[in-house]
Amino acid sequence: KAGVTQTPRYLIKTRGQQVTLSCSPISGHRSVSWYQQTPGQGLQFLFEYFSETQRNKGNFPGRFSGRQFSNSRSEMNVSTLELGDSALYLCASSLGGTGLTDTQYFGPGTRLTVL
Amino acid sequence: AQKITQTQPGMFVQEKEAVTLDCTYDTSDQSYGLFWYKQPSSGEMIFLIYQGSYDEQNATEGRYSLNFQKARKSANLVISASQLGDSAMYFCAMREAPNSGGSNYKLTFGKGTLLTVNP
């Protein structure tokens, strides 16, 4: 079974631009979560989508948004990029059960650099 | 207060030896789940092992085992017979009940421990 895929793997943007990242979950997984990883803040939860609905969100400004399509693929958008948005963005998929044991499997990440 | 604390920023171990990576957590919930992930330099997070708060046995997965001490709120990862390929960042994470504004359990990560396996 193919793992979680993320595209693109690397991105370079300038301040003020916007960017869209894509995530394809493992086949059969209906939940997609997004995380931002930086050396200073570590791994921070952005949001989770399940059946095209945002089910959970972290403490990020409204510039960060996402959506999920009917095939469970998800996109994350960051508008008006700031230097501090430079990070590794990780996507994780899971079956989507609401129990504690719903294990998330991660993709390789998209490394975003904002100049 | 941090939900997940990993007090060892870096650890060194000799190949073929065992190593313990520490993780303590903070929650008032009775039901929660604890996960360990490995992140090599390539960036991808790899799921290693899971321990539920009501599990009576310590979880084991191959060379990975979890030393779960509920009263002390610790869930240390033990890697036996270390291999060079075990060199990576290791993250402890906790899944707990949703707070207001959420409808599903969230996964909260610690800052990680960088493990280096020496030949």
Side-chain angles (χ1 to χ4, degrees), chain A residues 51-71:
Chain A
S51 290
E52 303 178 63
T53 301
Q54 188 180 85
R55 192 161 65 170
N56 227 333
K57 70 187 298 290
N59 298 320
F60 277 80
R63 300 185 297 108
F64 292 82
S65 63
R67 59 177 176 168
Q68 187 180 37
F69 302 94
S70 58
N71 61 358

Side-chain angles (χ1 to χ4, degrees), chain A residues 34-101:
Chain A
W34 288 90
Y35 295 84
Q36 181 196 65
Q37 186 178 25
T38 59
Q41 298 297 319
L43 271 154
Q44 294 186 285
F45 172 75
L46 281 154
F47 29 66
E48 182 212 4
Y49 285 87
F50 178 80
S51 290
E52 303 178 63
T53 301
Q54 188 180 85
R55 192 161 65 170
N56 227 333
K57 70 187 298 290
N59 298 320
F60 277 80
R63 300 185 297 108
F64 292 82
S65 63
R67 59 177 176 168
Q68 187 180 37
F69 302 94
S70 58
N71 61 358
S72 294
R73 190 178 70 86
S74 177
E75 287 182 347
M76 190 192 95
N77 186 76
V78 188
S79 62
T80 319
L81 283 166
E82 301 177 358
L83 294 178
D85 297 334
S86 294
L88 180 67
Y89 290 87
L90 290 162
C91 159
S93 79
S94 68
L95 288 170
T98 54
L100 292 165
T101 61

Side-chain angles (χ1 to χ4, degrees), chain A residues 37 55-56 98 100 104, chain B residues 37 39 95 103-106:
Chain A
Q37 186 178 25
R55 192 161 65 170
N56 227 333
T98 54
L100 292 165
Q104 294 185 1
Chain B
Y37 286 87
Q39 187 178 40
R95 193 173 178 88
S103 60
N104 192 29
Y105 295 83
K106 281 173 55 175

Side-chain angles (χ1 to χ4, degrees), chain B residues 29-94:
Chain B
D29 291 347
Q30 295 302 308
S31 296
Y32 50 89
L34 297 158
F35 299 79
W36 276 91
Y37 286 87
K38 170 185 177 182
Q39 187 178 40
S41 56
S42 59
E44 183 173 347
M45 300 276 284
I46 302 166
F47 166 69
L48 295 177
I49 195 166
Y50 167 81
Q51 178 84 45
S53 59
Y54 289 116
D55 293 342
E56 295 185 354
Q57 304 279 347
N58 285 340
T60 60
E61 283 289 346
R63 295 187 297 111
Y64 305 107
S65 61
L66 222 152
N67 183 359
F68 180 47
Q69 298 186 48
K70 192 171 180 177
R72 298 181 61 184
K73 294 188 177 179
S74 76
N76 299 337
L77 177 70
V78 180
I79 305 175
S80 63
S82 296
Q83 302 172 356
L84 296 178
D86 293 335
S87 294
M89 281 290 287
Y90 287 81
F91 291 92
C92 178
M94 178 171 62

